[in-house]
């Protein structure tokens, strides 16, 4: 039985599985979490522990057809300016609830297109963030930079604000594929953005590239990866394109008959993966790569790799505060998601209310299962000793978990009383194996495919 046949038999090519950037996943959040709850959670934060802060900017100059993120297009600056004012108002509401003395360990501006903000907006927003809390000494401030939507004034403003890591979306450099997915971005434009960042001392660079795009072949993805490697990114996320037109109507512009088969998707991933490994990047989890010595590689090597809504991270902060429409916060007590519609979000903030739409309060079982899933996603293994120490899990209960998952994935795992380990050849099944420990709905059709 060849590898594809074995993986097909276990359902890899038919499965629709969450990416597990949270547990439970966002579709399982309910409306029982209130603004009052979040206010209480903010007030109970420990000033001795830095927080992460995520700022969501949902606007784009153009809407890429492949994207399933919650975004909206704009051709004028006025909606963006009004939104920035709402962000500043929300930051003030959060500050009123937080104890004094908190520091920001990680700050990330995501979107959408955060670099749609002009230089003055960037300065105003960063000023409000610094008014909320100072940076911790070893802080990281990352921004998603669109090479098509950046110039010297905005680069200068971001550098002045303290940005020290940038993330650039590449997707694919092939012009025909770019036309098909509605994202025109030449190599030259991308390199100019990278050069501009490095000229301002931004040495840490992330890049995203996609496999599974329409018309993508092994030759084309090989060429795109090699062009990306010439830019020498410190970290790369190799994401599988998720075709979900029932969730993102713009994806109806994507010709489905040009999409690769699930088996071809896996081959595309492996071609790209091999190129990163040959260029001496360390494999991080299921879909990330990092240069030796990068914080992500160090976290993996020292057993401190974690997973959050941005994917794999070396962020040690126990709390992530989300700001902006649809942003999700994680507190020790649970998750809270803001109103997704920008109009509703802005009206609630202007009325002086934390704009909470839904969330989830953690149970003890959530903490246990969430850690099992995170350990599998990060390290491909679960240690019985850690679960016993952190959660009081008995040897009998661990054996029950191990026996159950081994029955579901025969010959894919190494099982002992000490640990559960995903074999290297079974790593494409990691999300499916993680789903085995998900006590909530495991079969939601809207989730992305397993490869």
């Amino acid at each position: 039985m060849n590898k594809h046949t074995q993986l097909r038999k276990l359902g890899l090519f038919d499965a629709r599985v969450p990416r597990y950037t949270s547990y439970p996943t966002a579709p399982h959040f309910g409306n029982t979490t209130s603004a009052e709850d979040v206010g209480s959670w903010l007030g109970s934060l420990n000033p001795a522990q830095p927080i992460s802060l995520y700022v969501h900017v949902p606007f784009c100059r153009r809407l890429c057809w492949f994207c399933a993120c919650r975004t909206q297009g704009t051709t004028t600056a006025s909606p963006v300016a009004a939104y920035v004012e709402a962000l500043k108002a929300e930051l003030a509401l959060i500050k009123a609830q937080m104890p004094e003395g908190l520091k920001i360990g990680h700050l990330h501006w995501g979107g959408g297109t955060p670099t749609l903000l002009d230089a003055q907006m960037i300065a105003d927003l960063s000023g409000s963030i610094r008014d909320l809390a100072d940076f911790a000494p070893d802080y990281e401030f990352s921004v998603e930079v669109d090479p098509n939507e950046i110039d010297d004034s905005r680069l200068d403003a971001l550098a002045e604000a303290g940005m020290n890591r940038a993330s650039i979306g590449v997707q694919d450099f092939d012009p025909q594929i770019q036309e098909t997915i509605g994202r025109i971005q030449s190599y030259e434009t991308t390199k100019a953005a990278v050069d501009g960042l490095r000229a301002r001392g931004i040495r840490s660079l992330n890049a995203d590239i996609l496999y599974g795009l329409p018309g993508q072949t092994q030759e084309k993805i090989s060429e795109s990866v090699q062009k990306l490697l010439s830019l020498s990114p410190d970290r790369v996320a190799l994401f599988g394109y998720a075709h979900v037109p029932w969730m993102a109507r713009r994806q109806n512009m994507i010709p489905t008959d040009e999409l690769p088969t699930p088996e071809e998707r896996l081959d595309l991933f492996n071609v790209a993966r091999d190129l990163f490994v040959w260029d001496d990047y360390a494999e991080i989890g299921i879909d990330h790569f990092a240069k030796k010595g990068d914080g992500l590689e160090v976290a993996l090597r020292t057993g401190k790799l974690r997973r959050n809504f941005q994917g794999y991270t070396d962020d040690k902060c126990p709390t992530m505060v989300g700001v902006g429409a649809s942003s999700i916060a994680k507190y020790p007590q649970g998750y809270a998601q803001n109103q997704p519609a920008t109009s509703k979000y802005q009206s609630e903030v202007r009325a002086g209310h934390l704009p909470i739409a839904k969330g989830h309060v953690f149970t003890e079982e959530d903490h246990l299962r969430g850690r099992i899933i995170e350990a599998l996603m990060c390290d491909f293994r679960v240690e019985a000793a850690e679960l016993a120490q952190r959660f009081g899990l008995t040897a009998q209960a661990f054996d029950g978990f191990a026996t159950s998952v081994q029955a579901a994935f025969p010959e894919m795992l190494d099982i002992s009383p000490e640990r559960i380990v995903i074999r290297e050849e079974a790593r494409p099944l990691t999300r499916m194996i993680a789903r085995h420990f998900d006590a909530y709905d495991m079969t939601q059709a809207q989730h992305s495919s397993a490869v």
Side-chain angles (χ1 to χ4, degrees):
M1 184 184 299
N2 65 35
K3 185 175 181 180
H4 278 187
T5 301
Q6 190 174 25
L7 295 174
R8 186 185 301 110
K9 184 178 179 181
L10 290 169
L12 175 68
F13 301 128
D14 302 314
R16 300 242 171 219
V17 190
R19 295 190 184 277
Y20 287 116
T21 53
S22 71
Y23 182 78
T25 56
H28 299 295
F29 294 177
N31 58 7
T32 56
T33 303
S34 67
E36 289 72 22
D37 293 326
V38 174
S40 174
W41 297 350
L42 284 166
S44 66
L45 292 175
N46 182 356
Q49 295 180 317
I51 63 169
S52 291
L53 186 66
Y54 173 74
V55 179
H56 186 64
V57 179
F59 295 97
C60 294
R61 191 77 66 192
R62 68 195 185 288
L63 296 178
C64 303
W65 300 336
F66 72 89
C67 181
C69 297
R70 185 176 289 277
T71 59
Q72 61 191 82
T74 182
T75 57
T76 64
S78 56
V80 183
Y83 183 78
V84 169
E85 291 304 311
L87 291 175
K88 292 160 61 178
E90 186 186 3
L91 288 164
L93 292 172
I94 292 170
K95 181 181 180 180
Q97 304 277 2
M98 290 194 332
E100 294 184 3
L102 278 166
K103 304 288 186 185
I104 296 173
H106 272 235
L107 171 62
H108 183 74
W109 293 11
T113 309
T115 51
L116 197 67
L117 276 60
D118 65 28
Q120 187 57 56
M121 294 178 194
I122 291 170
D124 288 348
L125 179 56
S126 62
S128 291
I129 291 170
R130 296 301 292 271
D131 187 55
L132 174 76
D134 288 330
F135 287 137
D138 57 348
Y139 81 94
E140 180 176 291
F141 175 12
S142 59
V143 177
E144 295 175 14
V145 174
D146 181 351
N148 288 313
E149 196 63 54
I150 196 68
D151 56 25
D152 286 341
S153 65
R154 284 176 281 185
L155 284 169
D156 289 340
L158 288 168
E160 179 66 25
M163 178 181 71
N164 53 19
R165 180 178 290 277
S167 181
I168 291 181
V170 169
Q171 323 320 336
D172 193 289
F173 281 121
D174 183 82
Q176 184 176 354
I177 292 175
Q178 290 183 359
E179 287 277 0
T180 304
I181 65 174
R183 169 78 173 216
I184 307 301
Q185 180 182 311
S186 69
Y187 172 80
E188 290 74 21
T189 297
T190 307
K191 185 177 185 302
V194 170
D195 290 345
L197 289 161
R198 290 186 168 143
R200 289 160 177 82
I202 312 301
R203 297 300 173 191
S204 297
L205 178 69
N206 301 358
D208 297 344
I209 191 167
L210 291 178
Y211 67 94
L213 292 171
Q216 205 171 43
T217 64
Q218 293 185 29
E219 292 76 16
K220 287 184 176 182
I221 198 170
S222 176
E223 184 176 353
S224 287
V225 169
Q226 291 179 72
K227 285 183 176 180
L228 176 59
L229 287 170
S230 74
L231 301 177
S232 193
D234 298 89
R235 301 177 185 177
V236 178
L238 176 60
F239 291 136
Y241 166 62
H243 191 62
V244 287
W246 54 91
M247 289 179 60
R249 285 183 294 175
R250 72 191 74 164
Q251 288 188 352
N252 286 308
M253 302 290 291
I254 303 289
T256 57
D257 59 340
E258 294 184 22
L259 292 171
T261 67
E263 291 87 347
E264 289 169 340
R265 283 170 60 93
L266 182 58
D267 290 337
L268 289 168
F269 172 86
N270 285 329
V271 167
R273 169 198 172 273
D274 288 347
L275 287 170
F276 289 122
V277 172
W278 288 337
D279 216 50
D280 206 29
Y281 282 72
E283 290 188 76
I284 309 295
I286 63 171
D287 55 16
H288 279 52
F289 302 85
K291 287 184 176 180
K292 306 296 174 61
D294 177 82
L296 215 53
E297 186 271 333
V298 173
L300 174 68
R301 182 159 31 89
T302 57
K304 296 178 181 178
L305 186 66
R306 295 293 178 261
R307 194 153 171 84
N308 65 17
F309 293 105
Q310 279 78 61
Y312 290 105
T313 182
D314 55 350
D315 183 1
K316 300 182 289 293
C317 302
T319 296
M320 175 182 285
V321 177
V323 179
S326 80
S327 66
I328 301 176
K330 181 182 181 182
Y331 299 92
Q333 299 90 340
Y335 295 116
Q337 183 170 18
N338 279 353
Q339 293 287 348
T342 54
S343 57
K344 179 69 171 175
Y345 161 77
Q346 291 180 76
S347 65
E348 291 208 13
V349 168
R350 287 167 183 151
H353 306 143
L354 290 173
I356 307 304
K358 57 183 179 177
H360 178 85
V361 177
F362 292 135
T363 66
E364 285 302 313
E365 185 175 0
D366 288 339
H367 288 300
L368 169 64
R369 290 181 177 271
R371 177 54 194 153
I372 292 172
I373 289 171
E374 182 181 54
L376 289 170
M377 294 290 294
C378 291
D379 304 312
F380 305 111
R381 65 174 57 218
V382 181
E383 299 288 342
E386 180 197 354
L387 300 184
Q389 181 180 12
R390 290 182 58 177
F391 307 105
L393 190 72
T394 65
Q396 182 179 8
F398 184 82
D399 180 68
F401 278 138
T403 301
S404 174
V405 73
Q406 186 176 45
F409 298 93
E411 302 180 6
M412 295 289 106
L413 303 162
D414 290 324
I415 302 292
S416 71
E418 290 77 30
R419 60 188 58 87
I420 300 168
V421 180
I422 301 174
R423 295 177 181 173
E424 185 170 355
E425 65 270 22
R427 289 182 179 180
L429 295 164
T430 297
R431 284 162 55 198
M432 293 181 65
I433 295 168
R435 185 180 64 175
H436 188 81
F437 296 92
D438 188 337
Y440 298 88
D441 185 1
M442 303 177 193
T443 58
Q444 290 202 34
Q446 69 263 35
H447 287 310
S448 59
S449 62
V451 293

